[in-house]
Amino acid sequence: INLPGGILRKRTAVDELNIRTFFTEGDLLVAEVQSIFQDGSASLHTRSLKYGKLRNGCFMSVSGTGGGGGVVRARRHVFTVTTAHGGGEVDVVLGVNGYIWIAKHVEPETKGKDVSITRIEESVSSSIYSSQNDEIGTETRREIARIGGCIGALVDNGVRVDEDMVMRAYEASLDVEAEAGAGGSDEYLGGERGRRVVEM
Amino acid sequence: MAPSSATHVLLSPAELSYLHSSLALSPPVRPDGRSSTQFRPLVAESDILPGANGSARVCFPDGTEAIVGVKAEVEKSRWRPSEEHGVHLGTGGGDLEMDNDDEGERVSGKAAGKGLGENSWAEMSIEIPGFRDDDALPVFLAAMLTEALLACGDLKDRLYINRGFHWKLYMDILLLSQPLSYPLPLLSLTTHLALLSARLPKLKSELDEDPLFDDDWDASAYLYPRDSAGKRLDRPPVTLLVMAVGDNIIFDPTTEELAVAEAVLAVSVGDSTSSPKAPSAPSNLRLLSIRTIDPPSRLTPPGVANSMNTATGGNAPASSQDAVAQREGMEQQGVWNPPRGGMRRGLIGKMIKTVVEKGGVAEEVLDGLAAVES
């Protein structure tokens, strides 16, 4: 599917009217950039099932400033964090363009079944084009906010953002919170506390 | 027409729904983990422009930055006939009608210049990159900030020099960065700091002579004077953005949080003029103005529920009227619906109380700003 526009937010594809049943303007999706045309528009592919519409979570945009910071190219850009405080599993998608998606992990329905290439349509769950969020618990939301804060702290302090650093920052933030003791909702990781997290 | 957050909302319906439900919990879970009354740290410095009477620069952590310069110029006053004309001449003239002096003081209630200030003596100009001078946003921001400034204390009375002359105060407010978020709180804080650092040269001439000032800048007096202990007696106002989602009241909202707000108010508070300030007084602060701001959430398209989405096995509505009718009946978790209706009075009262009460948010902000030394 060729889509004009170079950023992850979709613009209307004038010819492909059928796409409106799946995506509308303003949706957020993760895709692979196949090629970039000279006029700046990009060709985005959502071939694999791990690409597509994003929901159940929160978006952040970080820029590559701070000298050496930002999202760097790595082996894994999509990973899952098992969170503390009963938050369950949280997916993190790091885009090299600086766009980051943190969301609750939703088990695909096909887990445990064998999926062959020719039968890939059967494994497509009905919810991949859904705009509706599932029920998300408070602890999960808090952990999503915490991970967002970790990533923000990494960027503010010029540290590269990849899976390894995010995991370490997350664990460090749990330690910092344990040290601080009381102040349950004081999870703000900007400024001073962010720096301490990064130093660890 | 109420001012609106001009930046368009670039969030998908799933994100809007997630943010809204997070903020509607109690206590609200903000995307960056702050508490509802916690402000983001900012960088502020004052007295940075040597050519201006007062100046300040504030940078917010989301990248927006503003600079304010305050300049004062002596201007000739328009001659105004006043009701107390006779008495006025008496107190001005000096040795005429000395026995009427006390009565004169009581009648016109003045110690030099009280009640003689005029609103036109303070002028504000706001520059926002990407907007023309006559666009709605700069005009409304200027109006809101000016009305708060003139309503607070006796600023305009301090601009009075004598019957023929007065100070004209020019405040130039520049937003240096692009308006990534609604600029009102940033501009208000920067103006507050600039006014705190503003000084006027000391008057050497007497009474109604042509004004002559002391060349020594160290002898100049602060526009907002301090007492002998260095504590400020009076402070310029500050305007805060307060938003509400459900029953939660949230301060210092980011652009994403504003995008899902159900109600947004711009509240201006200043120091109360009643004196002395008893420590047991309910509050030292006065509410100066409240302005409603259209939250950008009302302009967002509603999300599509699974039951109405053909891609997820539902039935798409045949026409937009059907779509609206179906949505009316539906109260689905996880689907974004732009907020409708006005604000409840109880909610507005609660928002104001949280701002103005003793130990409340406005006090914290004002005390924090007072600690910024030039």
Side-chain angles (χ1 to χ4, degrees), chain B residues 3-6 126 128 131 134-142 144 179 182-183:
Chain B
S4 62
S5 291
I126 299 195
I128 302 183
F131 285 84
D134 48 5
D135 276 340
L137 181 65
V139 169
F140 276 121
L141 290 177
M144 282 196 276
Y182 196 60

Short mmCIF file of all heavy atoms in Angstrom, two decimals, chain B residues 3-6 126 128 131 134-142 144 179 182-183:
data_model
loop_
_atom_site.label_atom_id
_atom_site.label_comp_id
_atom_site.label_asym_id
_atom_site.label_seq_id
_atom_site.Cartn_x
_atom_site.Cartn_y
_atom_site.Cartn_z
N PRO B 3 -11.45 32.02 23.70
CA PRO B 3 -10.21 31.60 23.05
C PRO B 3 -10.11 30.09 23.04
O PRO B 3 -10.65 29.41 23.90
CB PRO B 3 -9.13 32.20 23.94
CG PRO B 3 -9.78 32.43 25.24
CD PRO B 3 -11.22 32.69 24.98
N SER B 4 -9.44 29.55 22.07
CA SER B 4 -9.31 28.09 22.00
C SER B 4 -7.86 27.71 21.86
O SER B 4 -7.04 28.49 21.40
CB SER B 4 -10.10 27.54 20.82
OG SER B 4 -9.57 28.06 19.63
N SER B 5 -7.55 26.52 22.29
CA SER B 5 -6.20 26.01 22.09
C SER B 5 -6.01 25.78 20.61
O SER B 5 -6.64 24.92 20.02
CB SER B 5 -6.04 24.68 22.83
OG SER B 5 -6.06 24.91 24.20
N ALA B 6 -5.17 26.59 20.01
CA ALA B 6 -5.16 26.63 18.55
C ALA B 6 -4.56 25.39 17.92
O ALA B 6 -4.90 25.04 16.81
CB ALA B 6 -4.40 27.86 18.09
N ILE B 126 2.03 41.15 22.27
CA ILE B 126 2.44 39.75 22.29
C ILE B 126 2.81 39.33 20.87
O ILE B 126 2.07 39.61 19.93
CB ILE B 126 1.28 38.86 22.79
CG1 ILE B 126 0.93 39.27 24.21
CG2 ILE B 126 1.69 37.40 22.77
CD1 ILE B 126 0.08 38.28 24.94
N ILE B 128 3.81 35.99 18.66
CA ILE B 128 3.91 34.54 18.62
C ILE B 128 4.32 34.17 17.20
O ILE B 128 3.66 34.60 16.25
CB ILE B 128 2.56 33.90 18.97
CG1 ILE B 128 2.13 34.37 20.35
CG2 ILE B 128 2.65 32.39 18.92
CD1 ILE B 128 0.86 33.75 20.81
N PHE B 131 1.94 33.72 13.87
CA PHE B 131 0.67 34.42 13.97
C PHE B 131 0.86 35.89 13.66
O PHE B 131 1.85 36.48 14.05
CB PHE B 131 0.11 34.30 15.41
CG PHE B 131 -0.47 32.97 15.72
CD1 PHE B 131 0.35 31.94 16.13
CD2 PHE B 131 -1.82 32.74 15.60
CE1 PHE B 131 -0.18 30.69 16.42
CE2 PHE B 131 -2.36 31.50 15.90
CZ PHE B 131 -1.53 30.48 16.31
N ASP B 134 -2.91 40.66 14.35
CA ASP B 134 -4.36 40.78 14.53
C ASP B 134 -5.06 39.43 14.53
O ASP B 134 -6.28 39.37 14.48
CB ASP B 134 -4.96 41.70 13.47
CG ASP B 134 -4.47 41.35 12.08
OD1 ASP B 134 -3.75 40.34 11.94
OD2 ASP B 134 -4.81 42.08 11.14
N ASP B 135 -4.30 38.35 14.63
CA ASP B 135 -4.94 37.04 14.76
C ASP B 135 -5.59 36.91 16.12
O ASP B 135 -5.22 37.59 17.06
CB ASP B 135 -3.89 35.92 14.61
CG ASP B 135 -3.65 35.59 13.15
OD1 ASP B 135 -4.51 35.93 12.32
OD2 ASP B 135 -2.60 35.00 12.86
N ALA B 136 -6.49 35.97 16.22
CA ALA B 136 -7.25 35.85 17.47
C ALA B 136 -6.37 35.51 18.65
O ALA B 136 -6.54 36.07 19.73
CB ALA B 136 -8.34 34.79 17.30
N LEU B 137 -5.44 34.60 18.47
CA LEU B 137 -4.70 34.12 19.64
C LEU B 137 -3.91 35.22 20.33
O LEU B 137 -4.08 35.42 21.54
CB LEU B 137 -3.79 32.94 19.24
CG LEU B 137 -2.99 32.34 20.39
CD1 LEU B 137 -3.91 31.71 21.42
CD2 LEU B 137 -2.01 31.30 19.89
N PRO B 138 -3.05 35.99 19.62
CA PRO B 138 -2.31 37.03 20.34
C PRO B 138 -3.24 38.09 20.94
O PRO B 138 -2.97 38.58 22.04
CB PRO B 138 -1.42 37.67 19.27
CG PRO B 138 -1.37 36.70 18.16
CD PRO B 138 -2.62 35.91 18.21
N VAL B 139 -4.31 38.40 20.26
CA VAL B 139 -5.21 39.44 20.78
C VAL B 139 -5.87 38.98 22.08
O VAL B 139 -5.92 39.72 23.07
CB VAL B 139 -6.28 39.79 19.72
CG1 VAL B 139 -7.37 40.65 20.33
CG2 VAL B 139 -5.64 40.50 18.55
N PHE B 140 -6.35 37.74 22.10
CA PHE B 140 -6.98 37.26 23.33
C PHE B 140 -5.99 37.12 24.46
O PHE B 140 -6.30 37.44 25.62
CB PHE B 140 -7.63 35.89 23.08
CG PHE B 140 -8.99 36.01 22.50
CD1 PHE B 140 -9.30 35.43 21.29
CD2 PHE B 140 -9.98 36.71 23.17
CE1 PHE B 140 -10.56 35.56 20.75
CE2 PHE B 140 -11.24 36.84 22.63
CZ PHE B 140 -11.54 36.26 21.41
N LEU B 141 -4.80 36.62 24.15
CA LEU B 141 -3.82 36.48 25.22
C LEU B 141 -3.48 37.84 25.81
O LEU B 141 -3.40 38.00 27.03
CB LEU B 141 -2.54 35.81 24.68
CG LEU B 141 -2.68 34.35 24.32
CD1 LEU B 141 -1.38 33.83 23.75
CD2 LEU B 141 -3.06 33.52 25.52
N ALA B 142 -3.30 38.84 24.93
CA ALA B 142 -2.98 40.17 25.44
C ALA B 142 -4.11 40.70 26.30
O ALA B 142 -3.89 41.28 27.36
CB ALA B 142 -2.70 41.12 24.27
N MET B 144 -6.33 39.00 28.01
CA MET B 144 -6.43 38.29 29.29
C MET B 144 -5.34 38.73 30.25
O MET B 144 -5.58 38.96 31.44
CB MET B 144 -6.31 36.78 29.05
CG MET B 144 -7.58 36.17 28.54
SD MET B 144 -7.59 34.41 28.71
CE MET B 144 -6.71 33.93 27.26
N PRO B 179 4.65 27.76 18.96
CA PRO B 179 3.66 27.46 20.01
C PRO B 179 3.30 25.99 20.03
O PRO B 179 2.29 25.58 19.49
CB PRO B 179 2.47 28.35 19.64
CG PRO B 179 2.61 28.62 18.19
CD PRO B 179 4.07 28.58 17.88
N TYR B 182 -0.40 25.49 24.40
CA TYR B 182 -1.11 26.75 24.59
C TYR B 182 -0.24 27.68 25.41
O TYR B 182 0.13 27.35 26.54
CB TYR B 182 -2.43 26.48 25.29
CG TYR B 182 -3.39 27.63 25.18
CD1 TYR B 182 -3.83 28.08 23.94
CD2 TYR B 182 -3.87 28.26 26.31
CE1 TYR B 182 -4.71 29.12 23.84
CE2 TYR B 182 -4.76 29.31 26.20
CZ TYR B 182 -5.17 29.74 24.97
OH TYR B 182 -6.05 30.78 24.87
N PRO B 183 0.14 28.83 24.87
CA PRO B 183 1.22 29.60 25.50
C PRO B 183 0.83 30.41 26.74
O PRO B 183 1.70 31.03 27.34
CB PRO B 183 1.69 30.54 24.39
CG PRO B 183 0.63 30.58 23.39
CD PRO B 183 -0.26 29.41 23.57
#
